Amino acid sequence: MAERVAIIGGGIVGIACAHYLSRAGCAVTVIDQDRIGSGCSHGNCGHICASHVLPLNEPANLLAALRSPFNPRAPFRVRPQWRPALLRWFWEFARRCNHRHALSAGSAMKSILDASIREYQGLFQAPEFEAEWQPVGLLYVLRSGRGMRRFAAQDAMLRDTFGVAATRIPGSELPDFDPALRPGLAGGFLYEGDAFLRPDALTANWSGWLRSRGVRFVEGCRVQGVETKTGKITRLLTEKGEVTARHYVFASGAWSTAVAAKLGCAIPIEPGKGYSITTNRPQPCPRQAMLFAEHRVAATPFKDGLRLGSMMEFAGFDASVPTRRIRQLIDSARHYLHEPVGGEVLETWCGWRPMTWDSLPIIGAVPGLANAVLATGHHMLGMTMAPATGRLVAEMISEKTTHIDPTPFSPARFSRMRDQVPGGSRIGLS
């Protein structure tokens, strides 16, 4: 009889976990409080970034955060708030803004990013996974000479330390490379090992393919509590009744902190809010996925549209989409593109990235619970790291040798178990 696995969270990471667990012969149920593939998996720019090796922990980002309360247009902004958990998060983030952490985190990141690219290359051999997959690289575009020099130094470190190299494109050649780009830009760096896709198409088609193969998806179902006994979860208490399984995977993205705390596992995730706007295709429309590094704005062409996205706001779970933020995306892209948007707005969106203070995802067993696994904390790279994460989770649950070393991603790196209950217990999540 197939082992039953319940996955809490139906974003791209939960879907990937379902795929690899189902392939391993498990009977899988995926539960989401909203729609499958909603949240941060829906409106992001779909960049698959094998080159994004370096952690966010760098002094420039820390300085931007400290200055941001005085600049409402800051692309990296912390809303003024007195919350001990957030203060602790930034303290730990700041402690890791050094070269040593960049090397150790970068090494771990490279292993999971490379693994995910390999998995995607296999997945997209099947037409069922159609998601406008374009393995043609990601272009970083620089507007100023200063920006070009700074990025060149980063590119040299990536090349010399991690073997990740880009093709440098002079500013004079950019309009020929992509006619959507304005003349007079300083230059660009093309990371040819990267790719891009349409994220909502991927989640819809992947989950539909899994449904046809017996994976059960339950939408609009909030987990209200968890019952444990002798170091194992015995059942979930949900709005739609009890769920029992042999193993439980928590892939709840930015909402994972509250769940994990109730399981006795402290994980430091803060929601990093991002925005996007999707319009019909402007003329000319970019051929290539791009990132305008000096303004922290990304652009992705789809068959029927163009998406601009960016921002990092630490503002809790504020679901508003201020017009000024969408206008900021457009105004920033206007420095680089002849036409930053098309004439018809198809969607404006915001979502919350699950941000860890060391820029590494959290993948592994919940300390003290033999049948619970966390798969969260993928910050801005959930779409990129999902396949390798799903495969890792399936290997852990099947007790197989893992395809990469999972140690750097373990939940145990943050703290010891707290408030362990030796007998039975009921843990409320409301």
Side-chain angles (χ1 to χ4, degrees), residues 138-371:
L138 175 62
L139 178 66
Y140 287 76
V141 185
L142 287 306
R143 185 184 181 207
S144 70
R146 180 172 181 266
M148 196 73 177
R149 289 189 295 274
R150 291 181 63 181
F151 199 92
Q154 176 179 297
D155 177 67
M157 178 188 178
L158 286 172
R159 180 190 64 242
D160 297 342
T161 306
F162 301 106
V164 177
T167 298
R168 184 167 179 161
I169 302 175
S172 59
E173 297 179 14
L174 282 176
D176 290 331
F177 182 82
D178 196 315
L181 288 167
R182 286 180 173 275
L185 298 167
F189 291 81
L190 178 66
Y191 287 90
E192 298 177 73
D194 291 353
F196 63 96
L197 51 75
R198 177 144 193 164
D200 52 342
L202 178 60
T203 55
N205 292 333
W206 201 351
S207 61
W209 185 84
L210 289 171
R211 279 191 180 95
S212 72
R213 282 154 178 76
V215 174
R216 181 173 174 241
F217 289 88
V218 182
E219 298 182 309
C221 182
R222 189 178 298 273
V223 176
Q224 298 174 315
V226 178
E227 287 191 358
T228 67
K229 185 177 181 180
T230 60
K232 288 186 176 181
I233 296 175
T234 55
R235 61 176 177 167
L236 303 178
L237 310 174
T238 81
E239 293 176 331
K240 297 186 177 182
E242 298 178 1
V243 175
T244 59
R246 179 80 178 272
H247 300 277
Y248 299 84
V249 179
F250 295 89
S252 306
W255 289 268
S256 297
T257 300
V259 176
K262 298 299 184 181
L263 298 175
C265 179
I267 57 171
I269 289 179
E270 285 290 331
K273 187 179 181 183
Y275 299 93
S276 72
I277 176 173
T278 307
T279 69
N280 63 343
R281 289 173 65 90
Q283 293 299 326
C285 185
R287 302 170 180 171
Q288 178 76 46
M290 303 175 183
L291 204 153
F292 310 131
E294 290 163 286
H295 285 83
R296 300 175 186 261
V297 170
T300 307
F302 300 139
K303 287 181 180 178
D304 61 354
L306 176 69
R307 177 168 292 165
L308 302 177
S310 186
M311 310 300 175
M312 178 68 72
E313 286 186 351
F314 288 85
F317 288 100
D318 172 15
S320 64
V321 184
T323 302
R324 61 178 174 80
R325 278 308 207 181
I326 299 302
R327 174 53 56 188
Q328 186 175 344
L329 287 175
I330 299 170
D331 290 345
S332 296
R334 202 180 300 279
H335 293 295
Y336 304 86
L337 300 175
H338 286 289
E339 294 292 339
V341 290
E344 180 185 358
V345 176
L346 305 177
E347 182 180 30
T348 58
W349 171 92
C350 75
W352 298 278
R353 312 172 184 99
M355 307 298 293
T356 60
W357 63 41
D358 60 6
S359 299
L360 294 174
I362 303 169
I363 309 165
V366 176
L369 290 174
N371 63 344

Side-chain angles (χ1 to χ4, degrees), residues 49-117:
C49 305
S51 65
H52 206 111
V53 171
L54 295 176
L56 292 175
N57 305 77
E58 59 177 69
N61 284 333
L62 180 61
L63 184 59
L66 292 173
R67 290 173 173 172
S68 68
F70 308 100
N71 179 12
R73 290 179 57 84
F76 189 150
R77 186 165 189 267
V78 181
R79 179 178 296 178
Q81 53 191 293
W82 182 259
R83 203 157 47 79
L86 182 62
L87 295 175
R88 169 78 187 282
W89 192 98
F90 271 103
W91 168 248
E92 296 291 348
F93 179 89
R95 289 180 58 227
R96 291 163 176 82
C97 289
N98 56 66
H99 187 67
R100 184 178 64 179
H101 180 69
L103 294 179
S104 63
S107 177
M109 285 293 291
K110 190 173 190 310
S111 69
I112 193 169
L113 293 172
D114 287 350
S116 264
I117 289 290

